[in-house]
Amino acid sequence: MPELLAPAGGPEPFRAAIAAGADAVYCGFGSDFNARRGAANFSADEFSEACRQAHLAGARVYVTVNVAVRDDELPSALAHVRHAAELGADAFIIQDWGLLAQVRRSWPELECHVSTQANVHDARGVAWCRDAFGAARVTLSRELSLPEIARIAEEGVDLEVFAHGALCFCYSGVCLLSSMEGGRSANRGLCAQPCRLPYDLVDEAGGVISARGRTRPLCPKDNNVIRDLAPLVASGVASLKVEGRMKAPDYVFTVVGAYREAIDGLAAGGRPGDDEAARDRRLKRAFNRDFTDAYLHGRSGDEMMSYERSNNRGELAGVVVGCPGRTARVRLDAPVGAGDLLELRPDDDPNAFLTTHAEADAPAGEIISCPVKRPMPVGCPVRVIRSARLMAAASAAVLREVPRRRPVRVRVEARLGSPLAISMETCDGRARAEAVGAVVEAARTKAVSAEELAEHVGRMGSTPFEVEGGTAAIEVCLDEGCGMGFSSVHRLRAACCDALGRAILEPYESRAASLAPVPASVATGRAGEPSAPMGEPEVCALVRSAETAVAALEAGATRLYATSDDLAVGEWPHDVVPVLDEVCREGDHGRLDAWVRQGRPVACGNVSELALAAERGALAELRGCVPVHNRACLDALAERGARAAWLSPELTLDEVALLARDAPILLGIVVSGRPRVMTSEHCVLQAAGSCVHDCARCELRGRRLSLRDRDGSLLPVRTDAHGRSRIYDAHPLDATPEVGRLLACGVTRLMVDATLLDEGEARFAVGRLVRAVAVARKGGRPAKRLSGATSGHLFWAIG
């Protein structure tokens, strides 16, 4: 059976996860280097104690270091990893390729997992993680289907798959919406979740074309694969992950407990229908936005979206059948418990909701009365959004002296003339201990029986252990006529438990004592005078059509780029660099791989494509969606085949300067255009409610549609021929006034991203960049920034 991996945003959810049966827990140590910096997380003392509790219970602890690490942060990040390892971390979940390379180099004994933030979706990418970095596990993107997971599992690398919890709208690791709109980067652990907010899908004139009720076109339902466990196990996954490091202990306890029961039931060879129904009810009464398993079955349509609301839906439990005065009469379609929090939300006026409590237990079919602050309409749906019983169970579990007891096998040997001996072994065989007492003498009065001896040895009390199979399973080797005082048996049992605890924790203590120190020098960028440029400045343009390519060349562009899909249509100029997608799944190889050619440049948006480029001897350029935030990352990817890199739009000018000084490869940066802020497997255009399920015939795809946010800003939306949507920043980028400083840093390739521009607009943008380069090289004064445009993050550091 796969590992059940639970989230913990702090000590209380951690204890809840262990109590509910988690095989492993993932958490943040401190709040500097993990993707949930808003969670409580753990202090050093709290983390040390959590590791001790987990290890005694037989569980593992994984530390999330799943953010892009700035160049000046790298030494601190390495010290952070070492400290967590000292305190007992079993493994580290890492996003940043530079940090991963440094950790593997500094402490090869540490187990490292690749985060889903690293955006890995196929077998080739997973194999690269193993071969290029020694990764023990890869956390796959949430969007993958069962057949894809099964194919990837053939590589023999442990695979971690999200089983339950929130779904991001965008592929993880390539979302910039929170960053570009508010400076809170998902790649830095501060996502503001703008995907959960309302947006209107609007046409070129600003008219709303969203279907009624589809006010949250970027808000998916929550993932729930509890009824898909059998095929997931058959696919070869190593770990089933519950999302929720921002969730309360009752959520963690409820969800992890439900999955524990389901996995154990599957292991036992059966899944009773009654148990499934009960588990489903428990999951619905934990926080949820309704559930979907669409991705797992290769779907990404309306069925996976929570268009109407982004908050907790709970479980639909009944309907208002009358409301005399301030008492709502509710006919129940599902049972409720005393103290359950109920939500009454009218369908025709969702904002006019209110909450109340069930005053007593009541079965389905009964009509109950609930106090309300104002009358509610007949027909109003009633939901249980918080279960008092589940919250009480979680609270009790968190308060247990020992969150979970570990089953052990026990043997007692009482031979006349020999010392009394008790031995214990964990059921997984990983730890064993023995305690030896006084010499056993003949009984002076009543001889002890085997049953009595087993009963007293089996009293585990406040220890973290329990006897597997109960006291009847204790192996007792007892001579006839033995006598002993049970107080001495109790002391010996306690000594054996203590020794077993020490045996369990000893490997961690030994590892801590042998860890190498943090490297005295780490590859980082260097401040100071800029290095000499690696070549003449190149004015580059990313274009969508052959006609726009000609316009860009006529305006002075010296290097052209176009997506592989666009290059497959029309007659293009020679030497256009193919741009490969930021998404590379098994099904994408047929259209992407052919563009990776020996000795030819290719812009790679994913590490799978980089792996193929290195294998074929292509001249790989990293797109900005493969984030490079530190020199160690730049060096690591250069060593693994990258010949050039387009820098992340999240970098400041100072950070660019640090990376560019004596860079091992050519660097470029986009200075004009609309940054892509999201890529989704779900087509945003479905918010219009008129999907024809044939992208080639979709009329909406050919139009200039946008999402309008609450402030009236427009985010352009485009969907490709494969049904993937890309959303672009509401504000155009114009960093041409900074061209002189970028060139001085050592950046030699400057790009106009003309993805959303027509021929005339592209000609203007390229011509403006050409003039900016010429002025900069003469030491002249740059032109002013275009009205309404921004400098991106060049002067605005992300969180």
Side-chain angles (χ1 to χ4, degrees):
M1 289 293 107
E3 166 191 273
L4 176 56
L5 178 57
E12 287 193 354
F14 192 101
R15 291 176 65 87
I18 296 297
D23 297 309
V25 183
Y26 66 102
C27 57
F29 171 44
S31 297
D32 291 334
F33 298 110
N34 78 86
R36 295 294 184 271
R37 287 164 63 187
N41 296 311
F42 291 78
S43 68
D45 288 344
E46 290 170 338
F47 182 72
S48 177
E49 174 58 20
C51 287
R52 189 189 72 82
Q53 290 176 357
H55 296 153
L56 290 175
R60 307 181 81 213
V61 181
Y62 306 150
V63 171
T64 53
V65 198
N66 51 345
V67 293
V69 179
R70 288 182 179 138
D71 201 79
D72 60 351
E73 295 174 331
L74 195 56
S76 295
L78 288 169
H80 173 87
V81 168
R82 189 186 187 282
H83 192 193
E86 279 185 311
L87 296 177
D90 290 274
F92 296 86
I93 303 173
I94 299 176
Q95 172 188 3
D96 191 286
W97 300 114
L99 177 62
L100 178 58
Q102 291 288 329
V103 170
R104 295 293 300 146
R105 182 178 296 121
S106 303
W107 306 288
E109 69 271 31
L110 295 185
E111 183 177 322
C112 292
H113 303 172
V114 173
S115 168
T116 190
Q117 288 287 117
N119 197 33
V120 179
H121 335 95
D122 66 345
R124 187 169 62 210
V126 167
W128 182 83
C129 293
R130 175 195 63 208
D131 298 339
F133 288 93
R137 177 183 291 184
V138 175
T139 309
L140 296 178
S141 296
R142 294 166 172 87
E143 289 82 357
L144 301 189
S145 67
L146 278 164
E148 289 174 295
I149 294 169
R151 165 64 190 92
I152 297 170
E154 294 174 6
E155 295 299 319
V157 180
D158 274 6
L159 300 181
E160 188 172 291
V161 173
F162 281 92
H164 197 95
L167 287 172
C168 292
F169 183 77
C170 178
Y171 276 88
S172 293
V174 296
C175 183
L176 301 177
L177 183 59
S178 180
S179 170
M180 303 307 289
E181 296 300 306
R184 294 179 56 181
S185 172
N187 284 321
R188 297 280 298 166
L190 289 174
C191 180
Q193 298 192 47
C195 52
R196 303 297 181 187
L197 298 176
Y199 297 86
D200 291 324
L201 182 64
V202 298
D203 61 19
E204 297 84 348
V208 177
I209 62 172
S210 302
R212 176 179 170 81
R214 301 192 177 195
T215 57
R216 285 173 168 78
L218 308 182
C219 182
K221 296 175 182 176
D222 288 353
N223 197 28
N224 179 352
V225 303
I226 200 162
R227 290 184 176 243
D228 301 294
L229 292 182
L232 270 169
V233 170
S235 75
V237 301
S239 180
L240 295 170
K241 186 173 195 172
V242 175
E243 183 276 339
R245 282 196 290 135
M246 299 294 287
K247 297 293 199 304
D250 62 286
Y251 175 90
V252 174
F253 184 75
T254 299
V255 174
V256 173
Y259 275 81
R260 178 77 277 155
E261 289 178 12
I263 292 170
D264 291 348
L266 185 62
R271 295 188 303 174
D274 289 346
D275 290 349
E276 283 192 343
R279 285 194 293 268
D280 287 346
R281 171 152 292 146
R282 284 156 56 193
L283 292 175
K284 288 177 182 177
R285 295 189 179 195
F287 182 99
N288 75 90
R289 301 177 182 90
D290 204 354
F291 293 125
T292 181
D293 62 355
Y295 280 148
L296 204 60
H297 296 283
R299 304 189 303 270
S300 58
D302 286 336
E303 72 275 13
M304 65 169 284
M305 299 303 294
S306 180
Y307 287 127
E308 302 86 2
R309 59 191 293 184
S310 59
N311 56 358
N312 182 18
R313 288 174 180 253
E315 181 189 22
L316 188 62
V319 63
V320 173
V321 293
C323 195
R326 295 194 175 186
T327 300
R329 290 172 53 77
V330 178
R331 184 184 67 239
L332 295 177
D333 300 316
V336 298
D340 286 356
L341 182 63
L342 308 180
E343 177 196 78
L344 288 66
R345 186 183 292 261
D347 286 332
D348 58 354
D349 190 6
N351 291 326
F353 74 95
L354 54 75
T355 59
T356 184
H357 288 88
E359 296 185 328
D361 294 350
E366 189 167 309
I367 294 178
I368 64 172
S369 296
C370 302
V372 291
K373 294 181 179 179
R374 62 178 182 275
M376 298 302 289
V378 171
C380 174
V382 178
R383 296 176 178 272
V384 177
I385 59 173
R386 192 171 68 207
S387 165
R389 182 179 63 82
L390 293 178
M391 291 193 69
S395 297
V398 168
L399 293 174
R400 290 177 195 165
E401 183 177 6
V402 177
R404 184 172 88 217
R405 300 186 189 279
R406 187 171 186 172
V408 294
R409 301 187 184 98
V410 181
R411 185 176 188 274
V412 185
E413 187 163 352
R415 302 293 188 185
L416 288 171
S418 297
L420 177 64
I422 300 176
S423 62
M424 297 182 185
E425 183 180 31
T426 58
C427 292
D428 56 15
R430 293 180 179 175
R432 185 180 185 281
E434 184 178 35
V436 177
V439 172
V440 178
E441 298 177 349
R444 296 176 183 176
T445 54
K446 181 178 178 292
V448 68
S449 69
E451 291 76 13
E452 289 173 320
L453 188 54
E455 195 274 329
H456 282 273
V457 169
R459 294 179 183 177
M460 293 296 178
S462 61
T463 74
F465 307 115
E466 64 183 9
V467 179
E468 183 188 36
T471 56
I474 294 177
E475 182 183 355
V476 179
C477 301
L478 175 67
D479 285 347
E480 289 187 13
C482 291
M484 62 191 72
F486 288 127
S487 60
S488 62
V489 174
H490 298 164
R491 287 193 297 271
L492 193 61
R493 179 206 60 225
C496 192
C497 287
D498 289 344
L500 183 60
R502 290 193 299 272
I504 291 169
L505 300 177
E506 191 279 331
Y508 297 96
E509 295 167 357
S510 297
R511 186 190 66 181
S514 64
L515 283 172
V518 176
S521 60
V522 179
T524 59
R526 293 184 294 131
E529 292 298 318
S531 56
M534 296 186 71
E536 288 293 306
E538 295 181 84
V539 173
C540 309
L542 171 61
V543 296
R544 290 297 312 274
S545 68
E547 294 76 17
T548 309
V550 171
L553 289 172
E554 291 174 350
T558 57
R559 189 176 181 88
L560 294 180
Y561 294 76
T563 69
S564 55
D565 285 350
D566 290 335
L567 285 173
V569 180
E571 295 294 328
W572 285 78
H574 294 297
D575 298 326
V576 179
V577 179
V579 175
L580 306 186
D581 292 4
E582 58 275 18
V583 176
C584 186
R585 293 167 62 170
E586 299 295 333
D588 295 312
H589 291 188
R591 64 184 181 86
L592 298 178
D593 290 2
W595 296 96
V596 182
R597 300 164 181 164
Q598 183 177 10
R600 303 294 298 170
V602 58
C604 301
N606 186 277
V607 294
S608 172
E609 296 154 0
L610 173 61
L612 181 63
E615 177 187 324
R616 292 185 177 178
L619 307 179
E621 302 179 18
L622 299 173
R623 290 178 54 200
C625 50
V626 180
V628 175
H629 286 246
N630 57 73
R631 179 57 182 270
C633 183
L634 196 62
D635 289 345
L637 296 179
E639 291 168 4
R640 290 157 178 81
R643 301 295 187 88
W646 291 92
L647 295 175
S648 166
E650 293 193 303
L651 295 174
T652 66
L653 191 56
D654 288 341
E655 290 167 338
V656 169
L658 284 173
L659 288 174
R661 180 171 173 77
D662 297 326
I665 55 178
L666 283 167
L667 297 182
I669 194 167
V670 175
V671 296
S672 177
R674 297 251 186 179
R676 179 205 57 80
V677 295
M678 274 191 164
T679 301
S680 171
E681 200 63 28
H682 172 78
C683 174
V684 180
L685 306 184
Q686 292 185 68
S690 57
C691 182
V692 297
H693 304 288
D694 183 350
C695 296
R697 294 193 301 110
C698 176
E699 295 180 358
L700 294 179
R701 283 186 54 240
R703 298 176 60 181
R704 292 194 167 198
L705 305 182
S706 301
L707 292 176
R708 184 168 60 206
D709 67 16
R710 296 177 301 174
D711 299 325
S713 298
L714 298 177
L715 293 83
V717 177
R718 301 292 183 269
T719 295
D720 65 22
H722 318 289
R724 285 188 189 128
S725 282
R726 290 172 176 82
I727 301 173
Y728 296 85
D729 194 8
H731 309 286
L733 170 71
D734 178 20
T736 53
E738 283 68 57
V739 161
R741 297 174 67 179
L742 290 166
L743 292 174
C745 290
V747 176
T748 55
R749 289 177 177 166
L750 305 169
M751 178 180 281
V752 170
D753 183 347
T755 298
L756 302 181
L757 305 183
D758 61 25
E759 294 172 40
E761 293 166 333
R763 188 188 303 273
F764 170 80
V766 171
R768 193 165 185 275
L769 177 54
V770 169
R771 291 190 295 274
V773 170
V775 168
R777 299 190 75 183
K778 293 178 181 178
R781 185 175 182 178
K784 292 182 178 180
R785 202 175 322 281
L786 292 174
S787 176
T790 77
S791 58
H793 281 294
L794 289 179
F795 304 104
W796 180 28
I798 58 175

